[in-house]
Amino acid sequence: MSKEKTPRILKIGILRFDPHDPEDVPHMETFEIEESDGMTLYIVLNEIREHHDNSLKFDFVCRAGICGSCSMLVNGRPTLACRTLTSKLDENITLAPLPLFELIGDLSIYTGKWMRNLNEHLETWIHDKENELEVDKLEEKMEPELADEIYELDRCVECGCCVAGCGTIQMRPEFVGAVGLNKIARYHLDPRDKRTNAEYYELIGDEDGVFGCMTLLGCEDVCPKDLPLQSKIAYLRRMMIKTSMKNN
Amino acid sequence: MKQKKIDKTPARLDFTQSVTGLILAIFISAHILFESSILISNEAMYKVTIMFEGYYFFGETYPGIITFFAAAISVIFVVHAAIAVRKFPNNYKQHKVMREHVLRMKHEDTSLWIIQITTGFIMFFIGSVHLYIMMAEPSNIGPFASSFRVVHEHMGPLYFLLLLSVVSHAFIGLYRLAMKWGFMEGKNTKVSRARFKFLMKTMIVIYIIVGSLSLAQYTYIGLTHDFSEVKKYKSKIIDLRAH
Amino acid sequence: MKVIYTDVLIIGGGLAGLRVATGVKERGHDAVVLTLVPPKRSHSSAAQGGMQASLANSHMGEGDNEDVHFSDTIKGSDWGADQEVARMFTHCAPKAIRELAHWGVPWSRVQRGDRKAIINAESVTITEKDEAHGLITARDFGGTKKWRTCYTSDGTGHSMLYAMDNKAHEDKIDIHERLEAISLIHEKGRCYGAVARNLMNGELVAYVSKATTIATGGYGRIYSVSTNAIICQGMGQALALESGVATLGNMEAIQFHPTAIVPVGILTTEGCRGDGGLLLDKDGYRFMPDYEPDKKELASRDVVSRRMTEHMRKGKGVKSKYGDHLWLDITILGREHIEKNLREVKEICENFLGIDPAVDWIPVRPTQHYSMGGIRTKYTGESQTLKGLYSCGEAACWDMHGFNRLGGNSVSETVVAGMLVAEYISDFLDSSDSNLEIHTSKIESFVKKEQDKLDALLSKENGEDAYILRRRMEEIMMDKVGIFRNETDLKEAVDELQELLKRSKNIEVFRSKSRAANPALVNAYRTQRMIKVALTCALGAYLRKESRGAHSREDFPKRDDENWLKRTITSWPDENQTMPSVSYEEINISTMEMPPGFRGYGKDLTKHHPMTKVRQDSVDAVVEKLKAEGKDRFEIQDALMPFMDKLPKKYRGINARLGENI
Ligand SMILES: Cc1cc2nc3c(=O)[nH]c(=O)nc-3n(C[C@H](O)[C@H](O)[C@H](O)COP(=O)(O)OP(=O)(O)OC[C@H]3O[C@@H](n4cnc5c(N)ncnc54)[C@H](O)[C@@H]3O)c2cc1C
Ligand code: HEM
Ligand code: HEM
Ligand code: SF4
Ligand code: F3S
Ligand code: FES
């Protein structure tokens, strides 16, 4: 054990606003917290709530970087707060809710509704009307590598970081964003989904879909699950161009 | 299975934007290199000029070729610009949202896009003027004629601005093209992306240096050459009636 | 008053809740799902390791079937499980996994040919059959005879939950997010839905339904350090308890997972050990073989956790400022394996410990992980005492886990129970029993009661700080109702919790008085309920004078079938009680397919029941006779303990396996 240093005093600036309070306006509020070993923003925020201001609103569920609930802007960048160690940050830290999503209060946002609309719009489920499920029979086979590849894209946690990190969608909220495109790439890859390319084109072959993406790559750089978003959007773009050329 | 008719316009527009951008970028990379032949010697630049005027094919120069060439590039230029303006923020609100986003995120690729938008906007004006001149007086190209334009027709500063714009726009554009279509992405896309980005930055620096040197050379010639008699360069080797 | 009517109200949008929802929808009934968080954020997503189902595709799973899975589960439960339920479960697990595969879970697959694996710290080559290529593969998990735990890389729960939620989208199920059920609406022993509070605007809504299902997951957060998500606060169990009618079963049965990281308690999956990872002490010595020469690191969870604690008590733990810990070494698996199959573990190590598990050892210690106890139900998932109330998943004590559940059996339970309970509920809805016979004024009175409680909390002055009470409760549970338990500690725990409960009636919501989204208010009323749940757990543990499965009494180290082969049942019939009421439900040996025996860890200290031998003899006789008659395993099983007629018809089919029934 090395000699103990005096711990830093972190200055946590939080963008606060309660939309249910007619008198409230968005404002910054700063809290001072003594840093401890292995401290994450999850610990920081709970400490603030428990000892400084119990009305502070934020969302954590798994607190392990798994569920995608705790996305927020940390010093302007969208990320998962629960797995952000304060030791990797400056002592002045600003926290703000992700833009674009409906605000519930302070750092708490309603990503669930947004994602549900997206999923319903893109119909993110296996479309297979031909094969009736028979639970007693052996499962359908799948190449091991393909299963891995699908899982790779299935790892998205719907945290919304890529949405908050994308300038395009900020300007044009109708755009499906990287999260939506990634989902289509996932189903496109999946042999169990019987949708044709033309049907996929219907879903994303326009300015609100893959052609709306301006390759800003914010999504790729902020995705906490390191999904290959750039590569998959490029793949979809090629697929969709091919589809438009073939299909008469 | 349903076979509905799909609307191909978005796909075509996107593809055209990239293809026109690509053509323009290739054109510009060559253009600036040809332009820099002035750094070798007046004679070299002269040779390049008459090459484009068709001398080496026909034994005679036809400046009309340049006009035609300029017109063709202009069309591509206009098409590209027309398609790409769709991506501009189309009202003040969008502009503001984007501005805030960029300042907050401090994200390189997003900032690069802002550069592209801005430089595109600049080229919209200067590029058009330049193209118009090239179409209007195609025969006024050469070591002396060009230098005259740079210095005495005050095109120098504009060219410099145009140079900065077009070089950054073109190479950022090429980088973005590679990302957008997944060109040569390799197994590890993080690595290939970093490589492309490095290449982009290197090319921007090289081209701005080369272009600036050429411009300096034009300026130098423009300031030192005596334009009172003829504005045109007279080659000692090649004798041309038209010139 | 806002009232929403539906056929089935499902409280909880995890794997269990969603599976019930799609099931009843398929049978043509409306369903509304209430959930604290978007369903995809439910705690089910955290399950990394896998789901048990006896597919027997992979080489190391060859020979596996329902019988083996059943016997592992019963042994694992230390004979506390309901054997019929466990039979139903093992029979349906392969169906559930195939269904999920159909709905989009990618499941890791068998790759034909040779592959290297680490078994018992040695590299071995496993050869997979050609015909298994592309079928769902499995890994090794603690307490199982065969490699049976199917997985998707290390995001099993995530990929299952996403597939389930997407299926719910497809079926257009109403999902109401950020709505917290705060009390059950019931009359004359019949449940008619719940009062829920909208966590965004504070509005109270009455959901009136013919059947109500609680699938709210576990109650791990009554402990100060837990691998559970912070929403696993036992609110479902509290709902049932506060109804005064429904009962809870085996609340003292709490599982500790051997390998959560120190200090934050985030889990590293059992897959780490399953794939060949080792436990080391402060000297870098592999100690598990000394205690469990046979199964070593892969002994059942409760056993490994106890052995680790014992070893640390011998002074072999690594000292740290957060207390002692041991090491989990997965470096021997190699970087490639870790980055592909244990990536979530790698991310956790990087983000929360700042280490690279491919080169560094991971600091771990046993941590609260799973609640075997919960709302006591019949095999149909219906409460034994409150008609129309159902429960499944971790929230329930359906009782296939008894006193210790096997890794991988829990996500498996959620989907199996979900699909079965959905059928039983649908049958109930199709019968005339299900009519809604409750007057609006009654519904109103339930809503009003909750409103008054909230008002009282908000207007209270000079009261107690909810955080202080809650932290104290968490500490008591951790220190006194932990891995090893004893009379003195448990007595203190019960007394002190009772004191806390009294104080909790006096909680004040400081500063933050908003009726809308208000975390302070939420904490206030949840703390009151959590203390009640904690009490059922502590009291159950205090009274149970034996050691069984995860419940381990230092003062009563033997399993005592003679006196304690029974379930602890707790309830709270009167609001003013400061202690739960306790009764017991006997577990009948004479109908068991697998009479109590020795679990195979350490020495057999069991105090056997006289009935055990009688039943064992008759089982042996039947088996011998039928075998001689050339009967197959299904016929023999049926003769010992028939269960098929309890299953919904559509799930009675025999499961196909490579080389069986295809
Ligand atoms: C870290 C970790 C790893 C695990 N790994 C494995 C594994 O590898 N294999 C395995 O088999 N098991 C594993 N488990 C156990 C398993 O994940 C859980 O037991 C199982 O997922 C529980 O599912 P569930 O549907 O019952 O509940 P949950 O998934 O916990 O869902 C509960 C739902 O109830 C809702 N809810 C709660 N209270 C209320 C209320 N008052 N009103 C409205 N809604 C409410 C929540 O919003 C949530 O949607 C693991 C557990 C942990 C902690
Ligand atoms: C009036 C002049 C121009 C304007 C307004 C303009 C505008 C734009 C804009 C806004 C984009 C970004 C499009 C997007 O994000 O999807 C773009 C892309 C691009 N531009 Fe230009 N541009 C102009 C001229 C040029 C010139 C002269 C070149 C070449 C030297 C060029 C090369 C490119 C390239 C290669 C791209 C990338 C194409 C793509 O993303 O599909 N542009 N242009
Ligand atoms: C076919 C069309 C074109 C022709 C024939 C042409 C020709 C020339 C010539 C002869 C010069 C030297 C200066 C002069 O004589 O004025 C020049 C300079 C330049 N041109 Fe063009 N040009 C063309 C299109 C473009 C376009 C489309 C752009 C970018 C939008 C462009 C950007 C520049 C720049 C930046 C310079 C300054 C070069 C330097 O710094 O070296 N040109 N061009
Ligand atoms: S793609 Fe990445 S950033 Fe976007 S929602 Fe999914 S996990 Fe989050
Ligand atoms: S940031 Fe946005 S513009 Fe495209 S590449 Fe990512 S979606
Ligand atoms: S709380 Fe689950 S990802 Fe942060």
Side-chain angles (χ1 to χ4, degrees):
Chain A
M1 277 263 142
S2 61
K3 241 180 58 204
E4 298 279 312
K5 283 189 301 181
T6 42
R8 295 194 294 175
I9 302 295
L10 304 174
K11 292 175 198 66
I12 318 284
I14 301 178
L15 183 62
R16 305 203 56 181
F17 177 50
D18 182 356
H20 289 285
D21 180 353
E23 269 145 50
D24 202 8
V25 288
H27 59 283
M28 286 302 281
E29 195 170 337
T30 305
F31 299 91
E32 293 196 353
I33 297 286
E34 189 184 298
E35 191 173 27
S36 59
D37 250 16
M39 191 176 225
T40 60
L41 289 178
Y42 163 71
I43 300 175
V44 168
L45 285 168
N46 275 297
E47 205 153 289
I48 295 178
R49 189 191 267 175
E50 198 164 333
H51 300 297
H52 298 264
D53 186 344
N54 60 1
S55 69
L56 184 65
K57 297 177 237 337
F58 50 77
D59 296 316
F60 289 97
V61 177
C62 71
R63 62 83 181 84
I66 292 171
C67 73
S69 305
C70 60
S71 42
M72 59 181 74
L73 297 180
V74 178
N75 295 334
R77 282 255 185 158
T79 190
L80 297 180
C82 70
R83 62 171 214 190
T84 303
L85 289 164
T86 54
S87 58
K88 294 193 177 154
L89 302 173
D90 195 59
E91 36 192 61
N92 290 305
I93 300 170
T94 57
L95 304 177
L98 291 192
L100 204 76
F101 299 100
E102 188 179 322
L103 183 73
I104 293 170
D106 301 336
L107 300 172
S108 171
I109 46 166
Y110 200 173
T111 43
K113 185 167 150 193
W114 196 95
M115 293 294 170
R116 196 166 53 238
N117 288 338
L118 178 81
N119 284 321
E120 271 159 21
H121 168 59
L122 294 179
E123 308 196 350
T124 54
W125 52 83
I126 300 281
H127 288 59
D128 183 3
K129 290 274 166 282
E130 298 144 55
N131 293 319
E132 202 48 54
L133 163 70
E134 287 175 275
V135 288
D136 300 337
K137 294 263 160 67
L138 285 190
E139 62 276 11
E140 235 177 280
K141 291 189 175 181
M142 188 188 272
E143 276 305 310
E145 294 87 31
L146 181 59
D148 291 347
E149 260 178 81
I150 294 171
Y151 172 65
E152 182 65 25
L153 305 187
D154 213 26
R155 290 171 65 242
C156 166
V157 292
E158 299 193 354
C159 62
C161 286
C162 59
V163 173
C166 171
T168 306
I169 203 167
Q170 302 298 311
M171 286 200 291
R172 298 181 244 275
E174 319 78 51
F175 176 48
V176 295
V179 51
L181 294 173
N182 175 66
K183 282 175 188 290
I184 292 298
R186 181 237 177 276
Y187 285 96
H188 189 266
L189 202 59
D190 197 324
R192 293 168 296 191
D193 194 317
K194 302 289 188 287
R195 278 180 280 189
T196 62
N197 282 342
E199 284 170 296
Y200 284 119
Y201 191 95
E202 290 269 306
L203 290 173
I204 55 156
D206 60 11
E207 291 297 315
D208 295 342
V210 72
F211 301 126
C213 163
M214 306 196 295
T215 324
L216 303 184
L217 302 185
C219 55
E220 165 102 1
D221 293 337
V222 299
C223 174
K225 292 286 143 185
D226 271 328
L227 295 182
L229 299 172
Q230 174 262 322
S231 162
K232 288 304 149 192
I233 296 174
Y235 164 75
L236 279 184
R237 205 188 285 269
R238 295 196 301 270
M239 284 310 307
M240 291 302 111
I241 292 286
K242 264 191 221 153
T243 307
S244 82
M245 285 177 176
K246 256 192 248 149
N247 198 287
N248 290 305
Chain B
M1 203 154 298
K2 65 177 175 193
Q3 256 314 343
K4 264 203 283 179
K5 213 152 172 60
I6 56 177
D7 177 9
K8 297 176 178 178
T9 321
R12 286 187 178 140
L13 286 179
D14 194 57
F15 194 61
T16 315
Q17 174 186 317
S18 289
V19 170
T20 51
L22 179 66
I23 297 174
L24 287 171
I26 294 171
F27 165 76
I28 280 294
S29 341
H31 173 338
I32 291 174
L33 286 186
F34 287 134
E35 218 54 62
S36 67
S37 55
I38 194 74
L39 293 174
I40 302 172
S41 68
N42 289 353
E43 187 65 32
M45 151 107 191
Y46 179 70
K47 280 187 183 160
V48 169
T49 311
I50 59 171
M51 174 184 86
F52 281 103
E53 291 174 353
Y55 175 77
Y56 295 108
F57 297 97
F58 312 113
E60 193 49 70
T61 59
Y62 300 97
I65 297 178
I66 303 256
T67 311
F68 174 77
F69 212 56
I73 290 294
S74 301
V75 170
I76 298 177
F77 184 83
V78 169
V79 170
H80 173 77
I83 298 179
V85 279
R86 293 174 310 144
K87 305 286 175 181
F88 277 57
N90 49 24
N91 55 41
Y92 177 67
K93 190 168 156 253
Q94 288 194 352
H95 172 79
K96 204 177 114 198
V97 166
M98 191 68 188
R99 221 181 92 90
E100 278 168 14
H101 174 74
V102 171
L103 293 177
R104 199 169 50 211
M105 275 271 288
K106 300 185 184 66
H107 173 252
E108 192 177 18
D109 288 52
T110 309
S111 309
L112 288 178
W113 184 79
I114 294 295
I115 297 181
Q116 251 201 324
I117 290 282
T118 320
T119 52
F121 191 68
I122 295 173
M123 283 192 285
F124 200 76
F125 299 101
I126 318 183
S128 315
V129 171
H130 176 58
L131 273 167
Y132 180 74
I133 296 176
M134 289 305 137
M135 270 189 289
E137 29 183 285
S139 54
N140 273 344
I141 298 176
F144 293 157
S146 295
S147 302
F148 183 80
R149 194 160 35 232
V150 169
V151 177
H152 300 285
E153 287 174 4
H154 312 294
M155 290 300 284
L158 276 180
Y159 277 167
F160 186 63
L161 190 56
L162 186 59
L163 173 73
L164 294 185
S165 306
V166 78
V167 169
S168 29
H169 187 98
F171 287 111
I172 296 175
L174 285 178
Y175 161 74
R176 174 156 287 131
L177 271 183
M179 293 304 113
K180 181 170 170 177
W181 298 97
F183 177 69
M184 285 187 24
E185 64 180 18
K187 230 182 152 50
N188 188 337
T189 52
K190 304 249 182 280
V191 172
S192 56
R193 174 170 169 213
R195 288 211 185 110
F196 272 116
K197 202 175 225 172
F198 178 73
L199 195 64
M200 164 192 84
K201 288 179 183 164
T202 324
M203 293 306 266
I204 292 178
V205 172
I206 293 178
Y207 267 83
I208 287 183
I209 293 176
V210 170
S212 307
L213 288 177
S214 315
L215 260 188
Q217 181 66 10
Y218 287 120
T219 314
Y220 174 75
I221 297 173
L223 290 176
T224 53
H225 186 74
D226 179 7
F227 289 104
S228 56
E229 301 161 30
V230 271
K231 282 183 191 160
K232 290 206 170 137
Y233 179 76
K234 256 304 183 210
S235 170
K236 288 166 207 101
I237 313 153
I238 302 164
D239 188 31
L240 276 171
R241 255 175 299 137
H243 283 240
Chain C
M1 183 180 67
K2 187 167 163 188
V3 186
I4 293 177
Y5 289 90
T6 179
D7 293 337
V8 190
L9 174 68
I10 295 155
I11 305 170
L15 278 173
L18 291 175
R19 184 61 190 85
V20 173
T22 59
V24 295
K25 191 83 180 189
E26 199 184 288
R27 291 271 303 260
H29 305 292
D30 281 339
V32 174
V33 175
L34 301 188
T35 161
L36 301 176
V37 295
K40 284 181 173 128
R41 310 240 191 275
S42 299
H43 192 51
S44 294
S45 69
Q48 306 166 343
M51 155 167 179
Q52 286 212 38
S54 55
L55 297 181
N57 292 326
S58 66
H59 175 72
M60 298 297 286
E62 273 166 40
D64 198 10
N65 59 31
E66 297 84 359
D67 299 348
V68 189
H69 190 185
F70 171 76
S71 115
D72 283 345
T73 303
I74 298 304
K75 272 192 199 152
S77 79
D78 224 352
W79 279 271
D82 179 326
Q83 301 203 353
E84 276 177 1
V85 167
R87 261 294 169 193
M88 291 163 65
F89 161 73
T90 52
H91 175 77
C92 290
K95 303 183 200 304
I97 202 168
R98 284 168 177 162
E99 186 177 75
L100 284 163
H102 189 73
W103 291 339
V105 177
W107 297 116
S108 295
R109 305 290 168 143
V110 178
Q111 169 77 52
R112 68 163 73 86
D114 290 351
R115 124 184 108 89
K116 288 251 171 303
I118 308 279
I119 299 176
N120 194 14
E122 274 166 41
S123 181
V124 293
T125 305
I126 296 174
T127 312
E128 298 290 0
K129 294 186 292 281
D130 260 2
E131 64 267 31
H133 182 79
L135 294 173
I136 298 171
T137 189
R139 58 162 55 126
D140 200 5
F141 248 30
T144 64
K145 267 212 199 73
K146 301 281 175 189
W147 289 24
R148 186 188 301 125
T149 308
C150 307
Y151 61 97
T152 342
S153 188
D154 62 357
T156 313
H158 171 90
S159 66
M160 289 170 72
L161 185 60
Y162 271 53
M164 269 320 311
D165 190 42
N166 291 333
K167 174 84 178 123
H169 284 309
E170 182 184 356
D171 294 352
K172 304 208 165 11
I173 284 160
D174 278 325
I175 294 178
H176 297 187
E177 276 170 30
R178 294 189 189 255
L179 265 133
E180 174 176 4
I182 53 174
S183 82
L184 293 178
I185 300 172
H186 61 99
E187 192 180 32
K188 300 188 197 116
R190 166 88 168 85
C191 183
Y192 293 106
V195 180
R197 179 170 177 270
N198 183 320
L199 295 172
M200 292 177 288
N201 60 22
E203 186 186 24
L204 291 190
V205 187
Y207 285 87
V208 179
S209 60
K210 297 177 183 167
T212 306
T213 308
I214 298 182
T216 50
Y219 47 92
R221 284 286 157 183
I222 57 174
Y223 285 81
S224 59
V225 187
S226 165
T227 63
N228 289 192
I230 54 177
I231 58 167
C232 298
Q233 295 172 310
M235 288 305 104
Q237 288 81 6
L239 277 178
L241 200 59
E242 290 195 337
S243 74
V245 186
T247 56
L248 307 183
N250 286 347
M251 291 296 281
E252 69 272 29
I254 299 284
Q255 180 174 78
F256 286 74
H257 194 288
T259 58
I261 63 170
V262 180
V264 277
I266 296 171
L267 182 83
T268 58
T269 168
E270 183 150 332
C272 289
R273 278 169 296 132
D275 291 359
L278 304 177
L279 290 169
L280 307 177
D281 65 12
K282 66 171 185 184
D283 308 317
Y285 174 72
R286 183 181 175 201
F287 57 91
M288 275 312 289
D290 295 355
Y291 294 96
E292 298 298 337
D294 197 22
K295 290 238 107 189
K296 307 180 179 77
E297 276 82 359
L298 285 171
S300 206
R301 282 186 182 168
D302 55 328
V303 177
V304 180
S305 290
R306 279 198 293 275
R307 296 312 195 188
M308 288 169 75
T309 310
E310 267 180 78
H311 201 63
M312 285 192 282
R313 283 184 177 176
K314 287 184 189 158
K316 295 290 186 185
V318 185
K319 300 263 176 284
S320 87
K321 78 181 213 208
Y322 302 104
D324 288 5
H325 66 78
L326 294 160
W327 298 113
L328 172 64
D329 175 11
I330 59 170
T331 59
I332 45 169
L333 306 182
R335 182 171 298 280
E336 197 192 333
H337 182 93
I338 293 173
E339 285 178 359
K340 181 163 162 260
N341 290 316
L342 298 168
R343 181 160 47 181
E344 218 71 52
V345 174
K346 183 167 177 275
E347 274 183 24
I348 286 168
C349 288
E350 282 168 355
N351 291 315
F352 295 92
L353 297 167
I355 62 165
D356 175 0
V359 281
D360 303 310
W361 295 344
I362 310 168
V364 294
R365 77 170 154 231
T367 300
Q368 192 289 333
H369 180 56
Y370 185 82
S371 3
M372 274 75 73
I375 298 164
R376 180 70 187 123
T377 69
K378 310 175 201 168
Y379 74 87
T380 56
E382 190 175 31
S383 159
Q384 297 183 332
T385 44
L386 185 54
K387 199 174 161 70
L389 177 70
Y390 291 78
S391 179
C392 63
E394 193 174 341
C397 178
W398 190 36
D399 223 7
M400 53 163 280
H401 301 306
F403 273 75
N404 172 59
R405 72 127 179 152
L406 296 180
N409 253 357
S410 170
V411 287
S412 202
E413 173 188 14
T414 61
V415 280
V416 171
M419 78 191 206
L420 296 181
V421 170
E423 296 301 319
Y424 300 126
I425 291 179
S426 300
D427 293 344
F428 170 64
L429 292 185
D430 290 342
S431 76
S432 56
D433 282 6
S434 68
N435 293 342
L436 278 178
E437 279 160 11
I438 184 165
H439 201 269
T440 324
S441 64
K442 190 75 190 172
I443 300 170
E444 238 164 67
S445 78
F446 271 95
V447 176
K448 178 146 189 326
K449 189 167 162 206
E450 291 310 307
Q451 190 61 60
D452 292 348
K453 276 200 229 162
L454 294 173
D455 288 345
L457 271 174
L458 285 168
S459 57
K460 182 91 178 174
E461 274 168 36
N462 300 324
E464 298 270 1
D465 183 342
Y467 276 111
I468 293 180
L469 301 185
R470 188 166 142 199
R471 297 291 173 243
R472 185 61 205 138
M473 168 201 70
E474 292 169 354
E475 273 166 36
I476 296 171
M477 292 305 291
M478 203 69 203
D479 298 344
K480 302 185 173 167
V481 199
I483 298 185
F484 285 108
R485 304 167 171 182
N486 63 59
E487 174 97 13
T488 337
D489 283 353
L490 288 169
K491 177 89 182 69
E492 279 173 22
V494 171
D495 290 348
E496 214 183 321
L497 284 171
Q498 193 178 11
E499 203 48 46
L500 287 181
L501 179 70
K502 289 178 192 155
R503 285 170 64 189
S504 74
K505 304 218 154 124
N506 203 21
I507 285 178
E508 172 185 352
V509 182
F510 295 100
R511 294 182 290 268
S512 172
K513 302 285 186 190
S514 165
R515 267 165 214 288
N518 181 353
L521 177 62
V522 171
N523 186 48
Y525 62 72
R526 287 199 195 157
T527 298
Q528 292 176 328
R529 299 193 174 128
M530 284 169 86
I531 295 175
K532 285 190 183 166
V533 173
L535 254 177
T536 59
C537 176
L539 184 61
Y542 169 67
L543 296 174
R544 185 172 283 274
K545 298 191 187 327
E546 65 155 353
S547 292
R548 182 183 298 274
H551 171 74
S552 177
R553 289 279 300 250
E554 290 163 310
D555 38 359
F556 300 97
K558 291 181 191 167
R559 188 180 93 202
D560 180 356
D561 286 349
E562 219 177 319
N563 299 302
W564 286 101
L565 193 58
K566 53 191 180 188
R567 292 187 189 93
T568 311
I569 302 293
T570 39
S571 63
W572 211 286
D574 179 356
E575 253 176 90
N576 300 318
Q577 274 178 238
T578 56
M579 277 285 226
S581 308
V582 183
S583 62
Y584 291 93
E585 176 190 342
E586 294 293 333
I587 300 176
N588 192 352
I589 296 177
S590 61
T591 56
M592 280 186 186
E593 176 178 342
M594 198 174 150
F598 173 45
R599 247 178 113 198
Y601 298 110
K603 270 201 294 293
D604 185 6
L605 297 171
T606 315
K607 248 169 111 186
H608 282 287
H609 194 282
M611 190 56 210
T612 299
K613 180 144 185 359
V614 180
R615 177 62 182 164
Q616 188 64 57
D617 290 345
S618 85
V619 166
D620 292 344
V622 171
V623 172
E624 200 176 334
K625 173 165 168 286
L626 295 183
K627 267 199 179 142
E629 288 170 18
K631 298 276 195 255
D632 64 16
R633 66 183 178 93
F634 300 103
E635 290 163 318
I636 298 176
Q637 193 286 322
D638 189 58
L640 292 174
M641 187 185 71
F643 71 97
M644 272 295 173
D645 56 325
K646 293 204 160 68
L647 282 176
K649 286 213 177 56
K650 65 202 251 199
Y651 296 127
R652 288 184 193 172
I654 292 177
N655 298 309
R657 283 186 189 79
L658 286 178
E660 188 184 32
N661 191 35
I662 33 178

